[in-house]
Amino acid sequence: MTQLFEYAPAPESRSIVDVAPSYGLFVDGEFVDGSGEPMKTVNPATEEVLSEVAVGTDADVDRAVRAARRAFTRVWGPMRPADRGKYLFRIARLLQERAREFAVLESLDNGKPIRESRDVDVPLAAAHFFYHAGWADKLEYAGHGPDPRPHGVAGQVIPWNFPLLMLAWKVAPALATGNTVVLKPAETTPLTALLFAEVCRQADLPPGVVNVVTGAGETGRAVVEHADVDKVAFTGSTEVGRSIARAVAGTRKVLTLELGGKAANIVFDDAPIDQAVEGIVRGIFFNQGHVCCAGSRLLVQENVHDEVVASLQRRIGTLRVGDPLDKNTDIGAINSAEQLARIRELSEIGEAEGAHRWQPACDLPDRGYWFPPTVFTDVSPAHRIARDEVFGPVLSVLTFRTPDEAVAKANNSTYGLSAGVWTEKGSRILAITDRLRAGVVWANTFNQFDPTSPFGGYKQSGYGREGGRQGLAAYLRSTHP
Amino acid sequence: MTHVLDPGTLAAGTRPGPGSGTAFDDVTRSDAALRAFLHGLPGVDQVGAEQRAATLGTRSIKTTAKAWAIDTAISMVDLTTLEGADTPGKVRSLAAKARRPDPTDPTCPAVAAVCVYGDLAGVAEEALAGSGVKVAAVATAFPSGRASRAVKLADVRDAVAAGADEIDMVIDRGAFLAGRYLDVLDEIVAVKEACGTAHLKVILETGELVTYDNARRASWLAMLAGGDFVKTSTGKVSPAATLPVCLVMLEAVRDFRAATGRQVGVKPAGGIRTTKDAIKHLVLVNETAGGDWLSPDWFRIGASSLLNDLLLQRQKLRTGHYSGPDHVSVD
C-alpha cells in the first residue's frame, strides 16, 4: 500500500464541445468574415492552436455599430420591458443547459482549472442574466428616476481573465436596461464569446442586439472611438483604461472603467487561522491570480506572522498545478506567454529588491505557460512587488503591529478595488472596513461574487459599479424627479 | 490576544520528542489556566470551514486512486454493532466478516477492528484471535456517559480484562458544556490509566457540542489528557460525523503534533454509509493532516453499513459491473 494518496487524473472530456477550425465575427445576427488578418487562439496549457478567429477592422466595427443602432431604434428599444426580460431569462437558461460546454471551452481557451470554470464562472454568468432579467421590467424602481432610459449602443471591451463572466457582467445589464451591444472580447480568449453568440441565436434574440467583434487592441480602439457608440464600458488594465478615458474625454459618451488592483488581505492575530489561510489561498491563487481584485498583499499582524506563513506554506504545498481540464487541478496555466513574461519579470524585481521568494516543490508541465504559486516574505511597502499589480499567482507578505498601521498600509496603494479583513472580533471588522478605501471589503472570506452586490473601485481601479442596483446606473440615463 | 501555539516552534523542527506532552503541563494545572488555553485556540469560522470541506468533497477520485482508496478505507473500518439486541452470535458473525470482508476475493483487506459493547468484548476477542483485527469496546457508560466515575472506570477495566485492544470512551459533555474542563480532562486521564496498554479513543459527541470551536477545544482537551484517538460521535446522536467537523479535528491533531511531536489519530463515526463519503474523508485526511495519517493506525472510520458499499464498489472496479446487495454478506 503506498503511503501517499496520488489522485489519478480525472480529465473532463474535450469532446463535449465542438471547436470550429475558424470563426467569423457575429454581426447583425449572422457570422460574417472579418476584413482583418485572422488571428490564432491557443490553449495556454499546451500551446496548441485551438482555432483561427476573425479580426474586425474599423469597417467591421462600423457595420456592427450600425446593426446595433438599427436594432436599438427598431426592435430592442421599443420592445416591452417584460419581453426583454424573457429573452434574458431564455439566455440564462441556455447558459445553464450548455454549462458543461461553456466550462470546457473556457478552460481550453483560458487555461483556468475546470473546477473554477464549472463551479464559478459559468454558474455566475447565468446568475447575472437571471438577476438582470428580473430588473428588465422594474427599472423605474431601481432608484434612477421614475422613467430611466437606455443610452443606446454600448461598446464593451472585456479582459481575458474571466472571458464569459465579464461578458455576462457587461451584456446582461446592458440588455436589461434596453441598450444594444457591440462586444470586443479579449484577443487571447474569444471562444466563449463566440459560443455565447450562438446562444443568442438559439434564444432567437433579434439580430443586432448583441454583436461580437473579435480582434486585438486596434479593434477595441475602433469600438471605443466609434462616433455612434453612446456608452463605453471597459474592464482591463489601468494603462489601457487611461487611454480609453483620454479617447472618450470631450465626447458625449458615458464611460465606466473597471481596472487593476493590489488588494490588501489583512489578518489580525485573533483570526480563525485555518480559514484565513484558505482565504489567503483563495484570494491570490484563484484563477492563477488573474483577478483584478486578487488579495495580492497579505498584511499579517507581526505576532502571528511566522505561524500564518508556516501554515500558508504547508497549505500551498497541497495545491495541484497542472492540466486545467483535470477536475482535481487547483491552479491552471498562465493565460499567455506575454503575461508569463511579466510575472517572471516582476518576481525577479521582487528578489532584486531584497524580498524573499518562496515556491513549493512542484512539477510543471513541459509545454504551455506555467508559473508555480509564489510567496514573497520580508516585503516592504516601498517594494515594487508590493505596489505593482502582478496579475499572477504571486503573494507579497507584509506585517503590521496595530490596527492603524494595518489601515494605513492597506490604503497606501494607487489602487482600491477590494480588501479583506480576518478577525474573530465583529466590532473590529466594522471599524476597519469603514476606513478601507476599497470598493469591496470581504470579512472572513475573500473573492466572493454575487450579481446583487455592486463591484468597482476607487482611485486607479476605475469608476462606476457593476452588479446590483448600482450597476444599472451605468446603462441608464437617469431622469431624476 | 496571542495564540497559544508558539510560532517559532511551529515553523521550525525544534519540537520536543514524541510522547513528551510536557509542553503543555502548565495549562492543565488549574481550571482557569485550562480554560484560558482552550479559549485561546484559534477560532473556527463556520462558513469558511464548511466551504473548505465542501470543496474538498468535490475532488474527483478515479481508476487506480479509487481502487487504492477503497482498499484503504476497508482497512480503516471499525466494523461496529452497538445495539441492545446484540448477541454472541451476531458478534461472531461480524468477526467472520471483519476477517474476510469479501469471501470471493482473498485480496480484499481485513478491516481494522470490530467495535462492540464491553460485555461482548470477550466473544469478539475469541472470534478474532490470530486475525490481526483489533477488538474495540465502547465503555464509560456509553453512549450518554452519565454515571459515576467509579462505574465508568469499572466499565473500562471490565472491557480490557475481557480482551479489548481499544477502548472507545465518551466524554462528559455536560461537564464540558458547563465549562468544567478540568473535570473532563481528569476523567480522560483516569480512563487512560485504566486502559493499561489498550488504545484510548475519546468520543467527543460533536453533535452535542454543536459548535466547531467546541469541537476544536474538546479535541485539544482529549489530546492533552493523553487520548490516542479523537472520535466524532457515538452514532447515537444526530448529526454524527460530518465533513467539516472532521476537518476541524484533523486540523487539531495536525497542530497538536506540530506543537508536541505526538501524533493522535482521528475517527469519524456514524453517518458514513457510502464509498463516496468514505473517499471524501480520505481526501480530507490527505489534504488537511497529510499522508502520515492515511493508515489504520491514525485514521479509522466507525461504521456498520459502509463496508458493504465499499465491497460492492470494489467488485464493480474488478468486474466492470455493478452487482446487487445479495453479492455481499449481510454481516
Side-chain angles (χ1 to χ4, degrees), chain A residues 3 269 274-275 315 328 330, chain B residues 1 3 60 216 254 291:
Chain A
Q3 185 60 42
D269 61 4
D274 287 305
Q275 286 74 51
R315 173 70 178 89
N328 292 323
D330 296 311
Chain B
M1 181 167 129
H3 282 293
S60 178
R216 171 169 289 177
R254 178 198 69 202

Side-chain angles (χ1 to χ4, degrees), chain A residues 158-218:
Chain A
I158 57 171
W160 47 259
N161 58 341
F162 292 92
L164 180 70
L165 185 59
M166 289 302 108
L167 174 149
W169 280 28
K170 295 272 183 291
V171 173
L175 297 192
T177 47
N179 297 275
T180 54
V181 165
V182 176
L183 178 88
K184 205 288 283 180
E187 180 183 359
T188 58
T189 56
L191 295 184
T192 40
L194 294 163
L195 187 60
F196 177 80
E198 220 174 90
V199 163
C200 291
R201 290 232 289 204
Q202 207 182 339
D204 276 330
L205 193 71
V209 173
V210 169
N211 304 275
V212 180
V213 184
T214 47
E218 274 306 292

Side-chain angles (χ1 to χ4, degrees), chain B residues 9-20:
Chain B
T9 41
L10 246 191
T14 56
R15 287 288 170 206
S20 145

Side-chain angles (χ1 to χ4, degrees), chain A residues 5 32 37 88 112 199-200 208 222 286 360 436 439 477:
Chain A
F5 195 177
V32 297
E37 183 64 29
L88 283 153
K112 67 172 65 198
V199 163
C200 291
F286 178 60
L436 292 173
R477 249 178 243 292

Side-chain angles (χ1 to χ4, degrees), chain B residues 1 19 22 29 41 46 61 78 80 93 100 107 110 114 118 128 132 158 163 187 198 201 238 250 257 292 314 322 328:
Chain B
M1 181 167 129
T22 52
R29 75 174 180 267
L41 290 167
Q46 185 184 341
I61 307 299
D78 279 6
T80 301
S93 128
R100 210 160 166 202
T107 66
V114 168
L128 290 168
D158 270 2
E187 187 161 287
K201 305 196 199 104
S238 183
L250 284 162
R257 188 178 76 168
D292 289 355
R314 199 174 183 278
Y322 281 107
V328 288

